[in-house]
């Protein structure tokens, strides 16, 4: 469609089709007052302040809701408009304390001055937390009101202090509905809605129940949307207008939300999601919104290096600690040491850690927790496409005609990506959910495939069979872009839908509906996470997903693709940086002589060609005494490893353990030396999010205590051990080295990132980055089909252990809880492990809700409270793995996928017993 | 089965039904009928039929719209016409079955009318009844005639031939036909239906929706409900046609859940349609697919707004959204959607059953067809009405509605529901169509029409409707949510008597903002009731604000009791009634005396505005307040004199011209304030009209004399036979102020040929001569022209003077006569004949006789006075002979130019309404000379006003209030016994034969015990309200 021309107040404007009159006004700098308008929300037209006159239109249309048409003539400042705006604003002010808004001398008035108009303290703007950042103030200033003729009706509503994060003072509410609309339109939570009507209308919960009971997820979007002081974050309520805002990347999950850290007096007061980006576009989750300042600034932060003497930690100087570690590490035979790098630290930190391992320790025994999440993605997609990462971008999901979310509880683990799924559904897209559990997504899905845990391959092959049988495949795509299709075709002949039904528990009709839905609504995108990967068949699962996408040609196009959602904030980056035992940065194999030659040339030393140990292998080796010393950076194996008791035992068998972290973790407790690291808020660097987008992490506050950035600690240690090439003055210098060595990062410099993130591959500084992979050709050339077959999980329920345990994450805690469990409000929402159990099973075991039970597997037992719910299907119980005191991973099975070595976290056999009172 | 087969079968069935050889009984069983007890009636009928072994068919039909006459039962006896009976209770039903079905007596006394050409003796034709005569039933064509649950009956009456015809046309042709019909949306906004269909038809998109808006939420609107309950298929057929025209396959009916019967019948109708291939796939084998779902609304008024309605269907909170985008492009679920009202669809189906030109033949140039109205409120015949567009508003209220209940005065009519406007009597001739209503400041809305009478407080009514809109505002947009609330608060303040003059400006400002800036029509129209009442009834607002007075006696904070509120002098009626009940007559008179110096006179002749407002009157009969006053006055002990004080002399002199009730009242109170007052009376006796206008048989001379003596006893000097020609002379004589109360003693001219012939005299002149003891010769045959109290008095006086035949000629009917009802009754009782709807046009005198040409009149349209205007019937002239003609058609005043004051028409002096000040400083005027002929009590009120104003003018405080009755403890409120009807005790009166021979009081009043009994009926509203 062509651009549109219009005249506003006599000025000519040309706008894009679909623009509103308000957009057009903004474009040429004509201010039109608004209160209910919010750029992320659909026009609402309630505050009536943006009324304008438009020739040939009846009445006074609202600029926010009126689309521009060609040749429109708009007037925004006639006397009529001014009068009516004043009239309407006057009415708004009868619902909001306003003496200061109409006072001519308010510019000269300070918070504790005597008010010449004898106004109550509680009605004064100067004491309102939103003073000077209040939109009502801005609008009042523009419209200009000297007197409100109609009485202000005090509503006398008690301020709601119910939750820890924010307060609700509806006496200041002007009923613009932005909080409600963001909760419903963007978040899909609908925890709040309009209550009552007419002049009694007020945002609130249904039947006035608590926010928590109304399923509020405390994302804070309502707080950010509120134009007045009605909704305020508690912590900043009395901080006034904060000038310093540092844009950085959220340290929690792999979404990579851009946040503004508001800093006052050297402290982070609040973190507010940034609107100007393609990742989170103004949204965050409870952890990013409310879980940062308190965690980063926790009094429990490590402040000095610690050395364990006689079983007790003592503070030490950096010099002492460094000397000790350096002398110890050189004392062990080569390859009897190992390094665990971290998916939580920056790319620069990881680069230095792997360089340290390869250059200073001289081997490839480096790995990190990606092994425990997306190793099958890397192996599975490498085999089919040639590279293992999200093929498409987050912002494309919302435009998909079909979203197939399998093995992902997106709204808990990747809340902001879940918003895109909701957007797709709102726009008419179909949603297929594959999950044994009744998760939030299933409440608005078109089809729910409730398959038994560990039966993904038969389910997906069943869908592939339906697609092929019904001729729904994209024949042209298969012919031109893929290979080996005939093998797959042949293998699908063996797939019998009635058998699939038997194995998965999903009726074949449902499988057919899902298959047709996925194959015929294009573009279709597949999202998956640990439900797919954490299996002994993890690699097969991933490949089966890849096949569905290839079969239907859903690759290389916008809003399509295969999209593994990465768990940790920088798990993608840690992999990209080569914190893996088999590859240098950018997945350059250590076995390849050319690669080695390149790195040896740059690093000036010979490098090992032997693939190192994975994290699970390291633990076994340590247990067996083959590994004597470990350097663990920001990882917490006693909680995150399967068969956790085994992991703790392994650590205890080590001769020497160095741990580098921000808190005294369960791992650090086992250490001989602990290095205090700075958090993400105290250093510069980059994270690479799940969609391969490299984004800046910026220093907001000074380092806490004597803590140092991870890259600096590792570099200093390297130097202490006599290595060269570690004299980095800042993280930007490290990135320059990455640019040189990692081709896909070739053009990603800190300087460019300052203007916004870049998606790799980005080979040079002129390259705009790559939002979609495999556009014309797959990384490996052709997409490859290989026959697959169903392999049941390693441990199936039996008479002794009759239930299947599956594990996962909660929205309110993060991973091993090192950060989130320092946040009071998050702990109030969830602070203990609950065993979710189906009422049928609970009845069999005579359990009641909230009862403490013993859960045991062949590897150990823990205690947890029951939560009787049909979210879990009969025969399946579910636990979170965040809680050290009730660590679900004590129970899980360490059996691994033969290809990717990922342990089977998602399926193990357990029994649940009553605890004798 | 093809539609043709279906139709043939239906027609055959219907035909058989008409020719049935056994009786058919149709019972109106829509909500209104059921609410009036139709269910019980049906049960009784069935029992009775069984008991008497009568084989008859009982059918439940819908509503014919005569709510006031429910339950309605039609009986069709083979060979007899269909007869409609109203208000059929089970007892009546038994009677009808026994007497009519068994015995053959059609009970003309219980029947409303017959249908068809065949007539039954003494029963009028149903469709000739005034309530139906001007109605044209198009949308409501089948209501009450067919069984709404039988699709065949609908088909037999032309049903579904409309869609059959439409399906043979192209979509464009259907839309053109619709445009040609000129049908406008009946939901209220009046947008062209054809145009609307066209927009939606042209909107791009494969999926489109058609919605029927049946969320009829206005209080007092029930057109849609009746249609859905009585003839659901006519609406559904309209939907089919609309769906076909716009190319849509899916429809919704959004119906309020409060309409369970409508929903039930719709569901039943949909099922029948599906069975007969009229809904679903391949309708009538045409390839057209359409299905309909009923969506029940939860009862929010705003959900009648189209965008809110669609949000509600989508499962969202029913709140409107801004347009554009318009529903035609992006409506339900974001798809192109067309939404029409129930009545629109009902019209659409018949437009296609007949044709566009036929439909366009009804109505006005700009508004075609008919419109259904729900007539409610204070009309006599409330109910459902369908009239052609352009019919005068007054016709609906008077012809169809039968005027105002209890003969009260029409005040206004609210059209268009709570967001419509209230139109006054001056708009009764307004042709009702979309354009005219809008021009008058109101709206058509969904056809609600609420009639208000004089007992309705206009401010309170505006407040009520604003309470509704404020309650029903969704709360989304600021002007509607906050603005209406602020308006409501102001109105509440005004009705509480706390209004300030600036409130009117604030109301107007708010109304302007709300109208112009609200998001949806609910807000945009919410101020209409306030704006129209401010425009047409501003004086009532001013009274509430400035005088803290509610003329209707409704605003409880302003009204101690309705009777006291209605009394021009503000007498504390409940208090003296209570004292009379206690036998304390003297104290009771003292209470009356606190406001008026003529308690006895008023007891005999007061026009008693109080009784018209008496709440007991709403039960069975008003308290006899006037008679009670007489009772007390006749037994006065004079106790009031104890507390009556005269202030020390001020040295100021006041002249009062005229010794009528106004003049003497002013003189009395001014004297008590210490001024020296002289009353100048041109006649030889004092008392003004009390003396020379009211015959002695109504007010004995001694009663008047006594009360005038009480006045002169305070020091008032009355100079008789002293005509004053100049006020300036009085000032020269040393008077400081003058009060003119010269009354209206000059008869109006009739403008009749030969008016001045011998034998024609003025009524007032006649009465004056008799009162002053002059001898007047009356003939045997007397004609009195006029319908007021003077006419009646003259007639009765003539009778007493020996006339043998007295005829009163009046141009309207008895109901319109301005004279007091009891006076008319008394006259008729005494043998006076009423020649109504007649007017003299010519008179000639010859041989001592008068030949009077009379002409018959008919009642025409209601004029702005709320009364029908008489129209001459040409050729009805006839001549009657009489001995004397007394003309009594009103009086005017004879104001000498020497008074030096501004005089308006009919000699009336212009005076300030509150102070009675004239154009000349120091000169005040009141009573009939200002108001025109009025009542004693109104003249007394003016006398009080004048006393206050003159006292202030003379430098005093103007306080004339006094406490005359002894103080007493606040009485305890004992709820009165109102379980059963109790009427006034019989009045003692002189036998007719005796009383027409003399001028003694005809009515003798009550005995003590009867008076006490009467006081027991008082509801003590004064205590209830406070």
């Amino acid at each position: 469609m062509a651009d549109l021309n219009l005249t506003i107040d006599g000025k000519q404007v040309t706008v894009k089709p679909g623009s509103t009159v308000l957009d057009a006004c903004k474009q040429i700098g004509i201010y039109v007052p608004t209160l209910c308008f919010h750029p992320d929300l659909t026009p609402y037209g309630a505050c009536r302040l943006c009324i304008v006159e438009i020739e040939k239109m009846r009445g006074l249309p609202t600029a926010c809701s009126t689309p521009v048409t060609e040749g429109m003539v708009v007037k925004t400042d006639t006397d009529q408009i001014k009068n009516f705006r004043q009239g309407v604003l006057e009415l708004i002010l009868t619902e909001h304390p306003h003496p200061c808004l109409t006072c001519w001398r308010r510019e000269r008035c300070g918070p504790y001055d005597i008010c010449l108009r004898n106004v109550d303290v509680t009605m004064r703007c100067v004491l309102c937390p939103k003073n000077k950042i209040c939109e009502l103030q801005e609008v009042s200033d523009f419209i200009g009101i000297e007197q409100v003729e109609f009485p202000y009706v005090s509503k006398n509503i008690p301020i709601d202090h119910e939750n820890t994060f924010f307060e609700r003072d509806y006496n200041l509410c002007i009923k613009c509905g932005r909080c409600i609309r963001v909760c419903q339109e963007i978040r899909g939570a609908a925890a709040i809605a309009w209550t009552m009507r007419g002049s009694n209308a007020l945002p609130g919960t249904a039947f006035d129940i608590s926010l928590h009971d109304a399923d509020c997820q405390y994302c804070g979007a309502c707080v950010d949307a509120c134009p007045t002081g009605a909704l305020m974050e508690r912590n900043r309520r009395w901080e006034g207008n904060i000038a310093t805002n540092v844009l950085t990347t959220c340290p929690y999950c792999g979404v990579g939300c851009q946040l503004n850290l508001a800093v006052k007096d050297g402290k982070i007061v609040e973190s507010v999601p940034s609107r100007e980006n393609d990742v989170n576009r103004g949204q965050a989750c409870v952890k990013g919104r409310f879980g940062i300042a308190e965690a980063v600034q926790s009094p429990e932060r490590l402040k000095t290096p610690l050395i364990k003497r006689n079983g007790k930690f003592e503070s030490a100087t950096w010099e002492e600690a460094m000397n000790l570690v350096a002398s110890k590490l050189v004392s062990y035979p080569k390859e009897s040491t190992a390094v665990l790098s971290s998916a939580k630290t920056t790319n620069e930190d990881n680069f230095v850690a792997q360089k340290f391992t390869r250059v200073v320790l001289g081997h490839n025994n480096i790995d990190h927790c990606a092994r425990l999440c997306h190793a099958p993605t890397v192996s599975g997609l490498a085999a089919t496409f040639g590279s293992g990462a999200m093929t498409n971008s987050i912002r494309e999901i919302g435009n998909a005609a079909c979203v197939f979310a399998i093995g992902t509880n997106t709204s808990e683990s990747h809340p902001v990506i879940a918003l895109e799924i909701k957007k797709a559904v709102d726009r008419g897209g179909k949603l297929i959910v594959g999950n044994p559990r009744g998760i939030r997504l299933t409440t608005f899905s078109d089809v729910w495939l409730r398959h038994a845990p560990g039966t993904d391959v038969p389910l997906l092959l069943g869908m592939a069979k339906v697609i092929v049988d019904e001729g729904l495949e994209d024949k042209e795509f298969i012919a031109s872009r893929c290979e080996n299709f005939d093998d797959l075709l042949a293998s699908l002949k063996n797939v019998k839908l009635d058998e699939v039904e038997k194995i998965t528990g999903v009726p074949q009709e449902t499988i057919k509906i899902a298959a047709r839905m996925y194959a015929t609504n294009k573009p279709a995108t597949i999202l998956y996470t640990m439900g797919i990967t954490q299996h002994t068949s993890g690699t097969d699962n991933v490949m089966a997903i890849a096949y569905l996408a290839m079969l239907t040609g859903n690759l290389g196009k916008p809003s399509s693709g295969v999209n593994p959602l990465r768990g940790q904030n920088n798990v993608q980056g840690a992999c990209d940086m080569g914190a893996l035992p088999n590859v240098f940065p950018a997945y350059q194999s250590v076995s390849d002589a050319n690669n080695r030659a390149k790195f040896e040339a740059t690093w000036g030393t010979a490098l090992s060609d032997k693939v190192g140990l994975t994290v699970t292998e390291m633990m076994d080796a340590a247990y067996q005494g083959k590994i004597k010393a470990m350097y663990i950076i920001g990882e917490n194996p006693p909680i995150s490893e399967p068969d956790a008791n085994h992991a703790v035992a392994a650590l205890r068998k080590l001769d020497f353990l160095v741990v580098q972290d921000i808190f005294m973790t369960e791992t650090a407790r086992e250490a001989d030396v602990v290095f205090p690291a700075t958090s993400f808020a105290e250093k510069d660097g980059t994270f690479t999010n799940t969609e391969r987008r490299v984004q800046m992490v910026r220093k907001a506050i000074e380092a806490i205590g004597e803590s140092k950035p991870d890259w600096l600690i590792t570099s200093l240690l390297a130097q202490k051990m006599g290595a060269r090439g570690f004299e980095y003055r800042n993280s930007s210098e490290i990135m320059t080295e990455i640019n040189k060595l990692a081709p896909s990062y070739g053009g990603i410099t800190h300087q460019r990132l300052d203007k916004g993130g870049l998606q790799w591959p980005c080979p040079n500084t002129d390259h705009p980055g790559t939002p979609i992979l495999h556009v014309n050709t797959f990384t490996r050339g052709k997409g490859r089909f290989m026959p697959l077959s169903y392999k049941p999980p390693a441990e199936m329920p039996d008479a002794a252990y009759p239930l299947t345990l599956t594990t996962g994450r909660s929205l309110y805690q993060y991973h091993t809880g090192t950060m989130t469990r320092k946040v009071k409000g998050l702990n109030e929402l969830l602070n203990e492990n609950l065993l979710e159990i189906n009422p049928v099973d609970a009845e069999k075991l005579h359990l009641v809700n909230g009862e403490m039970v013993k859960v045991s597997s062949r590897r150990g037992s823990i205690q947890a409270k029951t939560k009787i719910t049909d979210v879990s299907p009969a025969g399946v119980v579910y636990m979170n793995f965040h809680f050290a005191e009730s660590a679900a991973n004590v129970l899980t099975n360490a059996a691994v996928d033969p290809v990717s070595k990922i342990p089977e976290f998602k399926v193990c056999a357990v029994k649940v017993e009553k605890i004798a009172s | 089965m093809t539609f043709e087969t279906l139709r043939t079968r239906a027609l055959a069935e219907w035909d058989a039904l008409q020719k049935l050889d056994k009786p058919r009984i149709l019972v109106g069983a829509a909500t209104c009928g059921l609410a009036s007890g139709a269910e019980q009636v049906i049960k009784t009928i069935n029992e009775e039929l069984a008991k008497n072994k009568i084989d008859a068919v009982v059918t439940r039909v819908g509503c014919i719209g005569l709510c006031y006459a429910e339950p309605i039962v039609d009986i069709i006896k083979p060979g007899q016409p269909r007869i409609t009976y109203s208000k059929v209770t089970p007892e009546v039903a038994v009677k009808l079955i026994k007497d009519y079905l068994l015995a053959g007596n059609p009970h003309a006394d219980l029947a409303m009318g017959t249908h068809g050409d065949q007539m039954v003796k003494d029963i009028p034709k149903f469709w000739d009844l005034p309530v139906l005569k001007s109605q044209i039933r198009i949308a409501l064509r089948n209501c009450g005639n067919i069984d709404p649950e039988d699709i065949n009956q609908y088909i037999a009456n032309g049903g579904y031939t409309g869609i059959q015809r439409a399906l043979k046309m192209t979509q464009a042709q259907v839309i053109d036909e619709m445009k040609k019909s000129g049908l406008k949306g009946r939901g209220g906004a009046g947008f062209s239906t054809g145009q609307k269909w066209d927009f939606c038809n042209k909107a791009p998109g494969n999926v489109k929706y058609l919605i029927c808006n049946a969320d009829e939420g206005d209080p007092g609107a029930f057109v849609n409900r009746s249609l859905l309950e009585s003839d659901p298929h006519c609406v559904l057929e309209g939907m089919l046609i609309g769906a076909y025209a716009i190319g849509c396959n899916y429809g919704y009916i959004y119906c309020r859940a409060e309409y369970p019967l409508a929903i039930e019948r719709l569901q039943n109708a949909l099922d029948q349609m599906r069975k007969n291939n009229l809904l679903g796939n391949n309708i009538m084998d045409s390839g057209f697919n359409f299905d309909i779902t009923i969506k029940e609304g939860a009862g929010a008024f705003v959900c009648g707004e189209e965008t809110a309605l669609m949000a509600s269907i989508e499962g969202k909170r029913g709140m409107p959204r801004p347009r554009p985008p318009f529903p035609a492009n992006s409506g339900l679920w974001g798809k192109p959607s067309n939404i029409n009202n129930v009545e629109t669809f009902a019209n659409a189906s018949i437009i296609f059953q007949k044709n566009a030109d036929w439909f366009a033949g009804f109505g006005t140039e700009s508004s075609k067809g008919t419109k259904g109205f729900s007539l409610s409120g204070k009309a006599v015949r409330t109910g459902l009405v369908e009239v052609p567009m352009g019919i005068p508003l007054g016709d609906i209220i008077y012809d169809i509605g039968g005027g105002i209940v209890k003969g009260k005065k029409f005040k206004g009519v609210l059209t268009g529901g709570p967001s419509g406007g209230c139109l006054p009597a001056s708009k009764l001739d307004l042709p009702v169509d979309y354009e005219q209503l809008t021009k008058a400041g109101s709206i058509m809305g969904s056809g609600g029409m609420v009639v208000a009478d004089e007992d309705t407080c206009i401010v309170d009514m505006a407040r009520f409707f604003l309470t509704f809109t404020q309650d029903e505002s969704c709360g989304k947009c600021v002007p509607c949510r906050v603005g209406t609330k602020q308006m409501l608060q102001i109105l509440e303040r005004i009705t509480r008597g706390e209004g300030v003059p600036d409130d009117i400006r604030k109301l107007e400002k708010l109304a302007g903002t709300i109208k112009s800036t609200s998001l949806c029509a609910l807000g945009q129209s919410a101020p209409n009731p306030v704006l129209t009442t401010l425009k047409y009834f501003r004086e009532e607002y001013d009274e509430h604000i400035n005088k803290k007075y509610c003329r209707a006696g409704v605003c409880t904070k302003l009204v101690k009791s309705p009777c006291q509120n209605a009394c021009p002098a503000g007498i504390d009626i409940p208090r003296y009634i209570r004292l009379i009940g206690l036998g304390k007559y003297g104290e009771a008179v003292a209470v009356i005396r606190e406001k008026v110096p003529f308690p006895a006179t008023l007891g005999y002749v007061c026009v008693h505005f109080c009784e018209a407002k008496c709440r007991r009157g709403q039960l069975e009969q008003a308290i006899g307040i006037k008679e009670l006053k007489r009772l007390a006055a006749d037994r006065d002990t004079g106790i009031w004199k104890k507390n009556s004080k005269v202030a020390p002399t001020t040295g100021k002199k006041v002249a009062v011209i005229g010794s009528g009730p106004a003049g003497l009242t002013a003189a009395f109170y001014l004297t008590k304030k210490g001024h020296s007052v002289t009353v100048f009376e041109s006649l030889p006796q004092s008392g003004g009209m009390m003396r020379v206008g009211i015959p002695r048989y109504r007010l004995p001379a001694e009663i008047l004399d006594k009360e005038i003596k009480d006045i002169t006893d305070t020091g008032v000097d009355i100079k008789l036979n002293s005509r004053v020609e100049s006020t300036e002379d009085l000032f020269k004589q040393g008077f400081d102020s003058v009060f003119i109360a010269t009354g209206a003693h000059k008869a109006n001219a009739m403008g009749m040929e030969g008016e001045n012939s011998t034998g024609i005299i003025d009524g007032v002149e006649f009465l004056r001569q008799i009162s002053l003891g002059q001898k007047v010769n009356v003939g045997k045959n007397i004609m009195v022209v006029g319908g007021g109290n003077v006419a009646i008095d003259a007639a009765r006086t003539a009778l007493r003077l020996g006339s043998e035949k007295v005829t009163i000629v009046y141009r309207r009917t008895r109901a319109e006569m301005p004279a007091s009802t009891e006076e008319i009754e008394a006259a008729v009782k005494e043998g006076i004949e009423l020649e109504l709807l007649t007017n003299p046009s010519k008179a000639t005198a010859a041989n001592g006789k008068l030949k009077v040409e009379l002409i018959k009149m008919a009642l025409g349209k209601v004029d702005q006075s709320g009364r029908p205007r008489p129209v001459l019937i040409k050729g009805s002239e006839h001549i009657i002979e009489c001995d004397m003609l007394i003309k009594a058609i009103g009086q005017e005043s004879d104001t000498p130019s020497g008074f030096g004051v501004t005089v308006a028409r009919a000699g009336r002096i212009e005076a300030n309404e509150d102070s009675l000040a004239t154009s000349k400083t120091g000169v005040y005027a009141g009573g009939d000379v200002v108001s025109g002929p009025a009542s004693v009590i109104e003249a007394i009120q003016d006398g009080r006003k004048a006393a206050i104003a003159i006292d202030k003018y003379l430098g005093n405080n103007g306080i004339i209030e006094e406490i005359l009755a002894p103080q007493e403890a606040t009485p305890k409120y004992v709820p009165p016994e109102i379980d059963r009807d109790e009427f006034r005790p019989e009045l003692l009166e002189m036998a007719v034969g005796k009383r027409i021979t003399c001028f003694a009081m005809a009515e003798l009043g009550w005995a003590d015990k009867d008076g006490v009994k009467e006081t027991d009926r008082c509801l003590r509203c004064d205590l209830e309200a406070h």
Side-chain angles (χ1 to χ4, degrees), chain B residues 633-808:
Chain B
D634 284 350
R635 295 157 179 74
D636 186 18
T637 58
I639 194 172
W640 63 276
K641 287 183 184 157
K642 235 192 256 174
N643 290 328
S644 179
K645 291 186 180 68
V646 177
T649 178
T650 58
K652 304 279 186 190
K653 285 174 70 186
V654 180
V656 173
I657 312 174
S659 69
L664 289 180
T665 301
F668 177 67
Y669 286 113
L670 285 167
T671 306
K672 282 164 73 78
K673 292 297 281 183
H675 309 297
S676 161
V677 183
T678 308
V679 180
F680 296 91
E681 172 57 58
S682 64
L683 294 175
Q685 290 183 42
S686 62
M689 275 295 187
M690 295 186 289
R691 177 80 64 188
V692 300
I694 301 171
R696 293 286 74 81
Y697 62 87
R698 282 177 59 203
L699 177 61
E702 60 274 20
I703 300 287
L704 186 60
D705 290 343
K706 186 174 171 295
E707 293 200 314
I708 293 176
K709 182 170 179 294
D710 284 335
I711 290 170
T712 49
D713 283 355
T714 56
V716 175
D717 180 19
I718 303 180
K719 291 196 187 312
L720 300 173
N721 298 312
S722 313
R723 186 175 166 89
V724 177
E725 293 289 346
S726 159
T727 52
E728 207 46 51
D729 285 351
L730 293 175
F731 285 119
K732 277 181 193 149
Q733 288 169 34
F735 288 102
D736 299 292
S737 180
V738 178
F739 177 50
I740 306 170
T742 47
H745 291 260
K746 190 175 154 195
N748 280 347
M750 289 202 294
M752 166 183 76
E753 202 180 312
E755 191 172 345
N756 297 323
S757 310
T758 330
I760 299 183
I761 71 161
D762 290 343
V764 271
E765 173 68 29
F766 174 67
L767 291 174
R768 180 161 61 233
Q769 287 172 2
I770 306 296
S771 294
L772 294 175
Q774 292 166 15
K775 185 99 180 108
V776 181
N777 284 324
V778 293
K780 295 205 154 114
N781 189 353
I782 305 290
M783 183 185 293
V784 181
V785 179
N789 277 332
V790 172
I792 307 282
D793 285 344
R796 292 176 75 187
T797 300
L799 201 65
R800 281 164 173 74
L801 290 175
S803 296
E804 283 165 11
K805 182 176 181 207
V806 181
T807 311
I808 292 177

Side-chain angles (χ1 to χ4, degrees), chain A residues 152-222:
Chain A
Y152 161 67
V153 187
S154 170
K155 286 169 275 188
N156 276 322
I157 302 167
I159 298 175
D160 182 300
H161 299 290
E162 174 200 307
N163 80 82
T164 313
F165 300 128
F166 53 89
E167 291 182 343
R168 301 188 287 161
D169 180 358
Y170 287 129
N171 298 299
L172 303 179
C173 175
I174 54 164
K175 304 174 185 178
C176 66
R178 276 158 52 166
C179 53
I180 291 170
R181 285 144 64 209
V182 77
C183 189
Q184 298 188 342
E185 275 182 37
I186 306 240
R187 306 300 305 205
I192 49 170
W194 285 111
T195 64
M196 316 291 279
R197 60 186 183 200
S199 56
N200 297 321
L202 208 61
T205 56
F207 311 110
D208 223 9
I209 55 176
S210 71
L211 277 178
H212 191 59
D213 291 341
D215 206 16
C216 171
Q217 291 150 42
Y218 302 98
C219 64
C222 53

